[in-house]
Amino acid sequence: MIELLGIEIGQQSIVIGIIAGLTYAALAAGFVLIYRSTGVLNFAHGEMGFFGLAIFVMMIINYGLNWWVAFALAIAGTALIGMAVELIVVRRLFESPRLVLLIATIGVGQILTLARVGWIPDITAGGNIPTAFQMTWEPTDHIRLQAREITVLAVVPALIALLGLFMTRTRFGLAVRASASNPDTARVYGTSPRRVSTIVWTIAGAFAAATAILTAPLQGFQAATIDDTGNLLVEELLLKVLVVSLLAKMRSLPGVIWAGLAVGVVEKIVRNNVDSTNQSIVNLWFFITVLVVVLWFVRSGRQDVGWSLSPTLRPIPERLRSIWWVRNLNGIGFFFLFGALALVPIFVTESAPILTWSNILLFAMVALSLTVLTGWAGQLSLGQFAFVGVGGLATLAFTEGHDIPIPFDLFDLSIDVPWGIAVVLATALGVLVAVLVGLPALRVRGLFLAVTTLAFAVMAGTWIFVQDFFSGGTTAPRPPDRPALFGIDVGESRRTMYLVCLVTLVLMSWVVTRIRATGIGRSFIAVRDNEDMAAASTVPPGRMKLAAFAVAGGMAALTGALYVIVQPSLSPGTQFAPANSLRVIVIAIVGGLGSVAGPVLGSLWILGIERLVPDQLRDLQQLLTSNIGLLVLLMYFPGGLLQIVYSIRDGLLGVADRRLRERQPDEVAPQTVEHPAVPTSARSQRPAVDGPMLAAKGITVRFGGNVAVADVDFEVNQGELVGLIGTNGAGKSTLLNAVGGFVPSDGTVEVLGVDVSDRSASARHRLGLGRGFQAARLYPGLTVREALMVALEARQHSRLVPSMLALPPSGAYERAKRSSADEIIDYLGLGRYADSFIESLSTGTRRIVELGSLLAVDARVLLLDEPTGGVAQREAEAFGPLIKQIQAELDASVVVIEHDMPLVMSISDRVYCLESGAVIANGPPDEVRNDPLVIASYLGTNEAAIGRSGPA
Amino acid sequence: MTSQDRDSATGETAADPTGSSAARLAAAVLDEEARRQIEQAERDKAVLFPDDLLPGVGDEPMTLREAMIVGGKTTVVMMFLLNFIDDLPRAVRVIGPDIQNSLNISDTVLAGVLGFGGVALVLGAVPMAALADRVTRVAIIPVASLFWASTMALSGFIVNAFQLFWTNAATGFGQAYRIPVSNSLISDRYPIQARARVFAFEALGRPLGQLLGPLAIGLIVAIAGGEEGWRWAFYIMAIPPVLVGLASIAMKEPPRGKNEQDALLEDDAIDVEELEASMSTALARLRKVRTFYFFATGVGVLGFALIAVPGQFNLMLEDKYGLDALDRGIVESLMWIPALIGIPIAGRVFDRKFREDPEAVVNLTGALIIGAGLVYLVALPIKAIGPLLLLVGLAQALISAAFVAAPTIIALVAPYRIRAQAFALLPVFIFLMGGFIGGLIAGQISDAYNNRTAMLILAPYTAMLGGWLIRRGAVHIRRDISLAVEELLEEQSEARKIASGEAVPVLQVRNLDYSYGPVQVLFDVEIEVAKGEVLALLGTNGAGKSTLLRAISGLGIPDRGVVRLNGRTITYAEAETRFRVGIVQLRGGEGIFPALSIGDNLRAALLGKEMEPEEVERRIATAVETFPALEGRLGELAGDLSGGQQQMLALAMALIHEPEVLLIDELSLGLAPVVVQELLEVVQDLKARGQTMLIVEQSLNVALAFADRAVFMEKGVVRFEGPAQELAERDDLARAVFLGGEGG
């Protein structure tokens, strides 16, 4: 027994910690194996293992098989399950965004749970989980080890080492690593990534079973309950596995062992040193560890190429807008949907069913928060119901005047307010908590919010909700009596409560509709589709994602305030558990992610069918609403139920179109619009600048050991058009990225005389940088007009709260943006594509839209990366004058990366030539063109070719 | 692109003269977008052939007798017999109650066991079809027939449900070959003009089998009598497949695609060699055949009615009308009589319609199925047994008639090399989409209410929806047939060239169309690379150069057209397979595995071939010799190398093999001139050794340094093909080459 800084560390606890750590490591190794080989966060990993464990226990206890035989059979069986999962689900979603696969694995996990509980015959005897042998070992006086512990000590490191050797030393391991690193290149060298994926999932299945069987005896599971416990990979364990995996950077197998040992030992020591009644505080520490790990260890991943699960709602063609029902189609839809819901209390009078109906609305509200977060901002929360809990219990606390915990008990504080105010406070608390939980994960790209929210949910369920402030000092907080709002007795009857829920849902839907219709919603989608482009439009990606999560957290908390008064009884540990959060995700997807009506439809489907379908069809209903249904939807109808509604809508529009054509056979002549010479509205005051508009000094960018840009000085003067030439890979784009703040770099950057070296990309662009990207991807999920309106955020940032509540100045801002966007559309003649989705446009048109965005941003220094890239010769010819025109229009300075020698030489005032990350020439076009270094590096020595590369 | 966009785009293609000057300049680009959309719409129409080029359309009528003179009687008679006995294993459901009593098993267990036989039948069809597309089809028939005859006989000996499960599943699997094999044999044996008639003749086997099978089984059980009488049904019913299987040895294998060839070609067709299409690429290709796509979906939806009705109807006859097994057998048999009348008529009508207008065939098929839905709607509520049976029989007849057209349509639109797989997909759609889910739902509803309600909820509407979906495919049929015809004509002309002794190009691409989703990026591309030749592929960004390489190396499956290696068609082979036959692609900028060490990169490049470890090391050593920059750095992470070194490594990985043809994407991409010089030396060295190469380049200079010939592409279209020097002298094109960037 050692004592260190007041912490007791015992030998036994270290050994037990090591063993627990090895358990985590074993689970994490399987998790990492899948992630590393296929990029999937496999939430079904634990369930696969427990399925194997259940078969194993069944074979030994029910059929009396030998331990080793059962072990082998269970591993083989689970390997087959892994293979089946890959062939049926993963393969089908092979090209899908990883978010979809993550959700699919959740579905798979739940189906496996159902299968384990439902299909595996009852285990006939109780007792411990069998071990391979029996023995006790006492290496020292303080340490006493049993067979189950010895097994783990001996076998788990060996298993992980074997896996590691397999990955690094065998041909197959090489194939796995190669196809993970670059699947298409693996294919052209004869290695099939799909086959590799199948084999990896098979191995992962076997590995999961082996781990589960070896470690289960340690986790206190009883044989008899293995086949009927609802969820065996309890979230607490999953959380530890995630921490270990993250510490191992999701890839290193030796790292998994070290991280596992560290987590296990530290946890054990901490547990030994905290009060036995306050053990759940360990989960708080885990949560904090997750936040810290995500903050320190996680670097931005690759962004999924613009994806969307949302059913796309086609814009209504302009000429059909003359028909009133077409114009108001959405409104009519909502009217009928909510109207039908309002009629429910008339037909349903009994208290139990009306409770179900209220819950349908409540779940719809939480799912609606995912519309904002997942559907638009592209992030996933696995702990949405924890926010419901925070909101609900906080409402109780504020109405009952629970003591608010103050650090070090400096003073006493309690708030005791009427219910209505308590709801507002609770919602605000939800927003605050969301900001704290979201901050570390949302600053980087990737799906790490899923991890931190899961950690939060586990911590909330076990620790937060038992704190006195939330629980009021009792184990089962009671719903408040008869809360009142504006003199309405909300708690009067279940029907009143239902109606209050409905009104709240309608209001929430309205708010969410507002968000989507304003700059905030557009910015969310822009950030999801293209973070860099959004930042270049001065929309800060991290902050927008955080805003989306804050809105979602607030909505969930507000729902919570109603949730606690609707439920007949409260048990925070289960009601706000991750299981319900998963259910909400299912609801959102089934309904149609990213839509306003989808959550209501999804909730009606998942929770309501049992009310609508007669009792005789209960099995059918369970089949339809189970996760099998979710998986089928993900695989075949990713747009959910709303996709069906939208096809009906498209059909109606088609009918309207045909009828309109019959009545007015002649096309309405396109209106001739007076094109304004310049789109000037809302132009900001331009500060006068002395000296260069853009000055970069000593810019150096390193990728790994490779220096992409080496100590480059770069200057652009007022009104100048600077060409940037050089071979591909010379570092031109990287230089612009460094200037724009998209890649970390050494050196200083001054924009309009302001040193911006420490500022973020969006902040730099707010000063007047404008950026055109090489790929011209823009935002696939937005229309041309919307994309321009995102860029107009640079002139006038939309404000979150006014936008949500339609308060001034949001209306004026929107009108201003719309008219500015229309001016730009007219200015560039984009009218016919104004309502087309960017997705459907060719590169050339996107480049025009991108130039329009630069006008919208009102940029003073334009950085254009191959503005004619992907555009054919005769179209490209227009770009030179067009860039000149826009430059004059904006009175801006321009930097152009271009390979089109005639173009760049004809429009540039000055040209830089880069080679291998360094400037080799800088001067007027003619001078640079004749510079021997440039000729050797870039133009080549072929006289004919150089002659041809001059102006035509 | 939505239709309204296209509409408005066609409305105003010229620049608006009143616009700002920026708008005028932008119009140069935006008009191009409009033009692109119009061109794409027109290209869709462009592949429509006139009627006289569509096989069978507008031909002289031909009777069944004449068709049999041309194609012989054996095939169709054998197929008829196979179809006739095909349903015997399922006819045992009439003795289901006997089996249940004898084995003491429940309804659900029996239904599950028999249902799994159906699943095996369907799931087996796809691999069997893949087999049928490769090997001699007539050889499959006797083997499979004897197999399922034996499993059938074994079913007579079972003592528990578990054994029945296995014998029944094995029987199902043994029969899985029939639909793909039989349909593709008939398509290849009998002339197009009379195909629907022949299929109708073959189709008659099924109702006849349905008519007589249960009757015979009922009789056998009645005669055998006793608790165990049902066993005799299995023993005796194993005899017909043995007889038919033995008789089928008399059949001869027809050449694949023969009738289409005969209809289109003056001379005899020449046999063409092809690299096998994998199942997944065959499916990917079939998805792009729009008629087939709609047909399969429609039939899948129809499956709800098709599978749920017979089972439920049988149960209803038992429960509501109190018919015993024998009576039900008789009733079920009699209900097939309308179909027996309908099918031959359908054969004649479809043949006639097809000669006039193939679209009408699809439309009529859909209409018949919609009609069946309507009849179900009227029939199912009727309580009186007489009219009920008559009308349900009528609906059955309408569907059977519609199904006469199915193989006719599919035979014409599916590329003939993967025809059997196309045939096999139909039952997959019927059983898995409609059948499986439909069966489950029907069971649930009938448990909750009754069989009649279950049928009424499921059958009429799904049939109507299915019919409607099929009709939606009609507008595409001309295009799909045209594409199939074009493929065949091209192939034959090519084969003729080879036969006449002309030099076969190592690599050949013909009529290639390629799209990413709705956006088409390659249009009718043709290129050839002769042995030892170096071809430079030049073009602007987005011209489709890299996409073309993807289609050649197999990373993408084209919508239309062929890719050949040494005269062998590889269009539908997977990238992995193409690598094995000698296509190696260096993927520009992405040719390495950045997360692996240099040594592992080289080793990973060799994974696709079985090789001794010493050989691997020897080749790696050779590669390092060629590129000294890699020497002593095998342990370094490839991702940390500079762009030039990565490209060298990629080249080293490609050169570690001795490919038939080497595809290099963006050779000089991002490389310093010195490095380009070095690479050029390697390429020139390779050229001197006679390596055939196709190199995508963006620099005309570099291209001129190594290329014999150049192809210049713009916007997915080949604009120039000829000696490289000639391209350099073409001012209009060569200037554009300098626009090049990366990708393409």
Side-chain angles (χ1 to χ4, degrees), chain A residues 105-182:
Chain A
T105 61
I106 293 173
V108 167
Q110 294 185 338
I111 289 171
L112 285 175
T113 310
L114 283 181
R116 176 164 51 81
V117 174
W119 297 344
I120 293 185
D122 276 344
I123 287 161
T124 48
N128 290 327
I129 307 240
T131 48
F133 52 92
Q134 294 296 335
M135 72 177 278
T136 313
W137 181 38
E138 293 185 41
T140 71
D141 292 346
H142 301 284
I143 303 173
R144 186 185 153 84
L145 298 174
Q146 308 237 319
R148 53 189 191 189
E149 283 128 10
I150 297 167
T151 320
V152 169
L153 273 177
V155 180
V156 167
L159 266 183
I160 297 177
L162 265 179
L163 192 62
L165 286 176
F166 176 76
M167 290 288 280
T168 50
R169 292 278 180 273
T170 63
R171 271 170 70 92
F172 182 75
L174 182 59
V176 173
R177 288 182 292 134
S179 22
S181 178
N182 191 341

Side-chain angles (χ1 to χ4, degrees), chain B residues 221-241:
Chain B
V221 178
I223 293 169
E227 281 249 308
E228 304 292 306
W230 56 271
R231 294 186 187 275
W232 282 97
F234 282 111
Y235 304 147
I236 294 178
M237 284 308 153
I239 299 170

Side-chain angles (χ1 to χ4, degrees), chain A residues 92 168 171-172 174-175 177-179 181-195 251 314-317 319 614 616-621 623-624 657 661 667 670-677 703-706 727-730 774 826-830 832-833 835-837 839-845 848 866 868-879 881-882 885-886 898-903 915-916 936-942 945-946 948-950 952, chain B residues 1-5 7-9 11-16 18-37 287 440-441 444-445 447-449 519 540-542 550 553-556 574-576 579-580 583-587 590-596 600-601 603-611 616 639-643 646 650 653-654 657 668-673 698 700-701 704 714-715 719 728-732 734-736 738-742:
Chain A
R92 170 87 203 175
T168 50
R171 271 170 70 92
F172 182 75
L174 182 59
R177 288 182 292 134
S179 22
S181 178
N182 191 341
D184 274 355
T185 297
R187 288 190 69 194
V188 300
Y189 287 111
T191 301
S192 164
R194 284 168 199 265
R195 195 172 308 147
R251 52 175 304 112
R314 286 198 211 160
I316 299 175
R319 66 201 144 80
Q616 299 100 311
L617 294 185
R618 191 45 43 88
D619 288 351
L620 181 61
Q621 168 248 321
L623 181 78
L624 289 176
D657 195 33
R661 270 167 209 266
E667 277 286 312
Q671 292 174 335
T672 44
V673 189
E674 276 298 305
H675 291 294
F703 295 127
N706 183 10
T727 47
N728 272 321
Q774 198 176 14
D826 285 342
Y827 179 72
L828 292 171
L830 273 167
R832 54 198 142 158
Y833 304 114
D835 291 315
S836 303
F837 285 102
E839 209 169 18
S840 66
L841 299 175
S842 68
T843 315
T845 309
I848 301 286
E866 292 194 43
T868 66
V871 179
Q873 174 65 20
R874 51 177 179 277
E875 301 157 55
E877 274 162 9
F879 273 89
L882 193 54
Q885 173 97 20
I886 286 168
E898 211 18 280
H899 284 287
D900 186 343
M901 277 302 110
L903 174 75
E915 191 204 305
S916 310
S937 146
Y938 187 53
L939 295 176
T941 48
N942 186 316
I946 297 167
R948 218 175 297 276
S949 98
Chain B
M1 185 55 48
T2 58
S3 62
Q4 68 258 22
D5 290 331
D7 287 350
S8 59
E12 34 165 341
T13 51
D16 186 347
T18 63
S20 66
S21 62
R24 262 197 301 282
L25 290 168
V29 177
L30 300 181
D31 289 347
E32 203 55 45
E33 170 99 6
R35 212 169 293 138
R36 174 179 75 93
Q37 288 163 11
R287 266 181 82 90
L440 272 173
I441 297 178
Q444 293 279 335
I445 302 178
D447 284 353
Y449 302 98
V519 183
T540 57
N541 263 332
R550 285 180 74 85
S553 67
L555 291 176
E574 299 268 14
E576 296 87 330
F579 164 76
R580 277 182 201 108
I583 293 188
V584 168
Q585 183 190 10
L586 189 167
R587 304 179 62 237
E590 295 175 90
I592 59 158
F593 304 107
L596 268 52
D600 277 351
N601 263 279
R603 250 166 247 130
L606 287 167
L607 276 177
K609 286 183 182 152
E610 281 302 325
M611 217 175 266
V616 170
D640 288 345
L641 294 176
S642 75
Q646 291 193 359
M653 285 161 67
H657 303 283
S668 66
L669 178 92
L671 302 184
Q698 40 162 324
L700 184 58
N701 286 342
L704 285 173
E714 193 181 39
K715 289 199 299 169
R719 290 276 307 276
E729 284 150 19
R730 283 276 297 273
D731 262 12
D732 56 328
R735 243 198 75 204
F738 284 96
L739 300 183
E742 52 189 80

Side-chain angles (χ1 to χ4, degrees), chain A residues 714 722-728 730-732 895-901 903-905 908 910-916 918-921 925 928-929 934-935 937-939:
Chain A
F714 185 72
V722 175
L724 194 50
I725 61 171
T727 47
N728 272 321
K732 306 182 300 290
V895 181
V896 180
I897 295 180
E898 211 18 280
H899 284 287
D900 186 343
M901 277 302 110
L903 174 75
V904 77
M905 292 298 176
S908 301
R910 201 151 55 84
V911 174
Y912 282 94
C913 183
L914 254 62
E915 191 204 305
S916 310
V919 175
I920 56 167
V928 169
R929 196 173 42 183
V934 175
I935 290 174
S937 146
Y938 187 53
L939 295 176

Side-chain angles (χ1 to χ4, degrees), chain A residues 171-296:
Chain A
R171 271 170 70 92
F172 182 75
L174 182 59
V176 173
R177 288 182 292 134
S179 22
S181 178
N182 191 341
D184 274 355
T185 297
R187 288 190 69 194
V188 300
Y189 287 111
T191 301
S192 164
R194 284 168 199 265
R195 195 172 308 147
V196 164
S197 164
T198 311
I199 299 176
V200 165
W201 278 84
T202 312
I203 293 173
F207 195 79
T211 340
I213 293 169
L214 293 176
T215 61
L218 278 173
Q219 294 172 39
F221 292 121
Q222 291 299 299
T225 55
I226 286 293
D227 66 321
D228 53 14
T229 313
N231 189 0
L232 273 171
L233 183 58
V234 277
E235 290 88 7
E236 287 187 50
L237 184 55
L238 177 61
L239 182 56
K240 289 161 196 163
V241 171
L242 282 174
V243 172
V244 172
S245 311
L246 282 173
L247 281 170
K249 303 198 171 171
M250 300 304 288
R251 52 175 304 112
S252 152
L253 287 175
V256 161
I257 295 189
W258 295 123
L261 291 177
V263 169
V265 171
V266 171
E267 184 200 4
K268 191 68 208 165
I269 292 170
V270 170
R271 277 198 196 279
N272 279 354
N273 284 279
V274 296
D275 198 345
S276 64
T277 57
N278 199 17
Q279 284 283 319
S280 61
I281 198 165
V282 176
N283 284 332
L284 171 68
W285 294 20
F286 262 113
F287 168 63
I288 294 171
T289 314
V290 168
L291 292 190
V292 171
V293 168
V294 167
L295 203 57
W296 279 5

